[in-house]
Amino acid sequence: MKNVEIFTDGACKGNPGPGGWGAILRYGTVEKEISGGEAHTTNNRMELIAVIEALKCLKERCSVTLCSDSQYVCNSVNKGWAKGWKAKNWVKSGNKPVPNTDLWKELLEQLERHIVTFVWVRGHDGHPENERCDRLAVAQAEKYKAL
C-alpha cells in the first residue's frame, strides 16, 4: 500500500464570502498541487472540500497522513464526531442539524476508501506545506472575490 502525505487549507474572504482551498499531495518525491474555490461559501466548507478533493485524487487505496490546520475537520474525525453525527441521522445534541452534512457524507465515503491519519498543525506558524496551501487557497478566494 502506498504511503501518501496530504496537506490542506481553506480560506474565506468574509465568512460567508468568496473562498478558496488548496492541497498538496506527496508520494515520495512526487508532489501535486490542487486548488479551487467558490463565490459564496464558508471557511469550514473550504477546509472540508480541500480534504475531500485531495482524497479523490488518489486512484487506489492508500495509507494517508493528512495535515490540516482545521481543528473543525481534525477533531470531527479524530474524536469520532462525524461518525456519531451520521449514526444520529445528521443531528447534533440539542436536536440541531449538522452543518455541511453534504460534505461530511462525502468525506466519510472517502475515508472508507483509504487509511487516513489526521494530524492538526498550527496555521500561520511557519509550517512550509501549510503556508503553501494557504497561498493556494487565498489565491482562489481572491479570484472569486473579483467576480
Side-chain angles (χ1 to χ4, degrees):
M1 183 177 304
K2 293 180 179 174
N3 294 313
V4 177
E5 293 176 286
I6 295 177
F7 306 89
T8 64
D9 198 18
C12 210
K13 301 295 181 183
N15 201 18
W21 58 268
I24 301 165
L25 294 90
R26 181 183 295 149
Y27 174 63
T29 59
V30 178
E31 287 187 352
K32 178 179 182 172
E33 290 184 354
I34 60 173
S35 61
E38 295 179 6
H40 189 75
T41 190
T42 65
N43 188 68
N44 283 343
R45 287 189 70 80
M46 293 294 93
E47 296 282 1
L48 281 164
I49 290 172
V51 172
I52 293 164
E53 292 301 320
L55 291 171
K56 284 168 61 175
C57 287
L58 303 176
K59 307 234 184 295
E60 61 189 73
R61 184 170 174 81
C62 295
S63 175
V64 178
T65 301
L66 195 142
C67 297
S68 170
D69 65 4
S70 172
Q71 289 190 7
Y72 172 67
V73 172
C74 292
N75 286 342
S76 295
V77 175
N78 287 339
K79 294 184 178 189
W81 302 340
K83 286 184 179 178
W85 297 331
K86 179 181 178 182
K88 294 177 183 170
N89 204 25
W90 303 104
V91 176
K92 296 191 330 179
S93 60
N95 238 8
K96 296 179 183 171
V98 173
N100 305 311
T101 301
D102 58 330
L103 298 178
W104 285 114
K105 288 177 181 177
E106 195 169 357
L107 178 56
L108 290 178
E109 286 176 18
Q110 289 301 316
L111 294 179
E112 289 178 12
R113 294 181 53 228
H114 307 287
I115 300 168
V116 183
T117 302
F118 280 79
V119 177
W120 178 77
V121 297
R122 185 173 303 280
H124 310 286
D125 197 38
H127 186 284
E129 292 86 358
N130 181 258
E131 297 292 339
R132 281 174 56 196
C133 289
D134 181 64
R135 287 191 295 274
L136 290 169
V138 168
Q140 288 291 329
E142 288 294 334
K143 280 180 16 182
Y144 284 91
K145 185 178 176 183
L147 297 178

